[in-house]
Amino acid sequence: VFLLGKDGARVSAATLSDGQTLSVNDFARSIQAENKISMTADITSWGGGIVVGKGTTDWGASYVTIDDTNVVVNIYQGGSTITKYRKAHGLTFAQLVKVVLNQNSHNLSIKIITLNGYFESSISDFEYKFNGFPRITSVGASLTNVSLSASNPSYQYPIWMFGDSYFGA
């Protein structure tokens, strides 16, 4: 039996540095629609940026890489990372960053907020799954007061899932 409430799950870390990952391991990895992933952190140094998304090498994992210049959306499928979207964000990363990813049906909305600006973009016909645990990974960034949350607003009540040997969550 697996339960997921509407409020989702949250984790935090005092610091996150190059190569480290913070993930929400008590959130359903197989829910592939209506995911909302949100992170906030104080920036000590931006370095090469961060990766925020769901999954790493899980089939259908989808994640957003944010560096000094671009927002890049990648998926992992068939043992390969495939870039589905790339766009310059025009932001400067100092002091604070907030990222919100909303994935529903076949759309992905990306919002990035810093003290110096705001970036928002939406990808229509985003057919990939967001499979795996929600996570943030530092790619050279040094962050403090890191908070990562994942929720699924479609679920207003606990879900009870039952199955036989062909079932998994």
Side-chain angles (χ1 to χ4, degrees):
V1 176
F2 174 76
L3 293 171
L4 171 68
K6 67 178 180 175
D7 296 329
R10 175 181 309 269
V11 294
S12 60
T15 63
L16 192 71
S17 55
D18 187 26
Q20 292 182 320
T21 296
L22 178 65
S23 62
V24 182
N25 294 331
D26 60 351
F27 188 77
R29 62 184 295 148
S30 299
I31 293 180
Q32 300 173 355
E34 303 295 330
N35 288 295
K36 180 177 182 178
I37 299 170
S38 178
M39 68 77 54
T40 59
D42 295 328
I43 301 169
T44 303
S45 66
W46 189 245
I50 58 173
V51 176
V52 181
K54 203 157 182 252
T56 53
T57 56
D58 304 278
W59 182 90
S62 302
Y63 43 91
V64 177
T65 301
I66 305 164
D67 62 21
D68 282 339
T69 309
N70 295 306
V71 172
V72 180
V73 178
N74 292 310
I75 61 153
Y76 185 84
Q77 186 172 351
S80 299
T81 300
I82 302 164
T83 298
K84 300 302 290 182
Y85 173 87
R86 177 184 304 269
K87 187 170 187 175
H89 51 64
L91 298 172
T92 302
F93 293 92
Q95 296 181 337
L96 175 75
V97 63
K98 178 173 180 134
V99 177
V100 178
L101 305 177
N102 280 302
Q103 178 252 346
N104 60 29
S105 299
H106 297 289
N107 297 304
L108 174 64
S109 167
I110 304 164
K111 296 177 186 174
I112 306 168
I113 302 164
T114 68
L115 291 180
N116 304 339
Y118 178 80
F119 171 86
E120 183 172 8
S121 188
S122 184
I123 306 168
S124 299
D125 298 322
F126 188 76
E127 68 274 15
Y128 296 95
K129 301 295 182 193
F130 261 55
N131 196 26
F133 291 120
R135 68 169 173 119
I136 174 175
T137 301
S138 169
V139 185
S142 179
L143 307 173
T144 59
N145 303 316
V146 184
S147 175
L148 175 66
S149 65
S151 63
N152 195 300
S154 293
Y155 296 106
Q156 299 298 315
Y157 305 97
I159 298 171
W160 291 75
M161 297 167 46
F162 300 92
D164 60 16
S165 63
Y166 294 101
F167 179 82

